[in-house]
Amino acid sequence: MTLSLFPDEPLPAEIIDDGAVLLRGFAAAQEQRWVADVTALQTRAAFRNMQVPGGKFMSVAITNAGGWGWISDLQGYRYSAVDPQTGKPWPAIPAFLCEQAARAAALAGYPDFAPDACLINRYQPGARMGLHRDQDEHDYAAPIVSVSLGLACSFLWGGLTRQSPTRRLALTHGDVLVWGGRSRLVFHGVAPLKQGQHPLLGNERWNLTFRMAKARYPAGQPSE
């Protein structure tokens, strides 16, 4: 699907939950720029499979960009200003990615979104993400902006407790899911990625999640 990036042309949007909006195909129009920026980032901060506190390693490979990067090890989950592999700061979020994340947030009803962290997940067939909620950020008023590139996935959308029923959302190349407000702490995950081939990314899915990890969200609450 090819979509215009001009702000006066509305994008198809699906209300997923209270405060959660799915922008179908949002990133597809400039897919080459998305892929080029992520490719450049991973040459400076390589993808890696991080260890979780229980001792196992994640099936998803990750890297980060921005002032803060999300990391996991035997000591727990947290944000760090430096890449533990290199001891250097994470690469900056490219301006194009920041602009697109802010625009997606605004279209979903969250103005003034200015991410200081971009967690990039690389899924290959069989990789999955268990149910969890994004709770390591400083200000829960800021939304999460999640961009899907490459192979389609089955995204698990739950509720405010781990025991809440989950439903499956089919996310395809270019889809952007934005959630905040009453849905900000919803449990979510990704079912094991199925085999496939994508014209740009082969047998991979890339997921970029933009967050305001340490910054205060100036808008405070989503707009009506």
Side-chain angles (χ1 to χ4, degrees):
M1 182 183 297
T2 301
L3 300 172
S4 170
L5 294 184
F6 293 103
D8 56 346
E9 296 185 14
L11 290 160
E14 300 175 23
I15 306 301
I16 300 302
D17 213 333
D18 189 355
V21 176
L22 177 56
L23 302 171
R24 288 284 184 193
F26 175 90
Q30 298 208 46
E31 58 185 15
Q32 298 284 354
R33 291 196 64 180
W34 285 90
V35 172
D37 277 354
V38 175
T39 300
L41 286 171
Q42 63 88 26
T43 66
R44 299 174 58 195
F47 283 108
R48 78 291 305 263
N49 297 85
M50 289 191 175
Q51 196 171 22
V52 298
K56 295 183 179 181
F57 285 84
M58 299 173 66
S59 63
V60 175
I62 75 170
T63 188
N64 291 279
W68 299 94
W70 185 90
I71 65 171
S72 172
D73 55 25
L74 293 175
Q75 282 68 54
Y77 307 112
R78 62 195 181 279
Y79 282 98
S80 171
V82 299
D83 180 344
Q85 277 194 351
T86 66
K88 298 178 180 179
W90 299 100
I93 304 174
F96 169 76
L97 299 187
C98 273
E99 291 164 2
Q100 292 299 297
R103 181 167 175 259
L107 286 169
Y110 298 93
D112 303 319
F113 180 68
D116 58 359
C118 176
L119 169 62
I120 307 169
N121 297 317
R122 185 185 68 190
Y123 292 78
Q124 294 176 323
R128 60 183 293 274
M129 185 71 69
L131 279 179
H132 67 284
R133 59 183 183 177
D134 299 333
Q135 59 184 11
D136 299 319
E137 296 74 35
H138 177 70
D139 184 3
Y140 293 157
I144 301 292
V145 177
S146 175
V147 181
S148 293
L149 299 172
L151 290 179
C153 82
S154 182
F155 188 82
L156 308 176
W157 182 262
L160 295 178
T161 69
R162 191 178 294 277
Q163 294 73 34
S164 300
T166 60
R167 50 192 165 120
R168 292 179 178 241
L169 307 175
L171 297 184
T172 59
H173 177 69
D175 289 347
V176 177
L177 181 59
V178 182
W179 68 91
R182 291 192 176 98
S183 291
R184 175 60 180 76
L185 292 176
V186 158
F187 280 86
H188 56 280
V190 177
L193 191 70
K194 293 183 178 180
Q195 289 281 354
Q197 283 292 317
H198 187 271
L200 283 177
L201 298 184
N203 70 340
E204 296 183 351
R205 172 184 182 253
W206 294 353
N207 172 231
L208 289 74
T209 55
F210 297 87
R211 298 110 180 269
M212 292 180 68
K214 301 294 184 178
R216 180 69 64 181
Y217 181 49
Q221 296 293 331
S223 61
E224 295 299 330

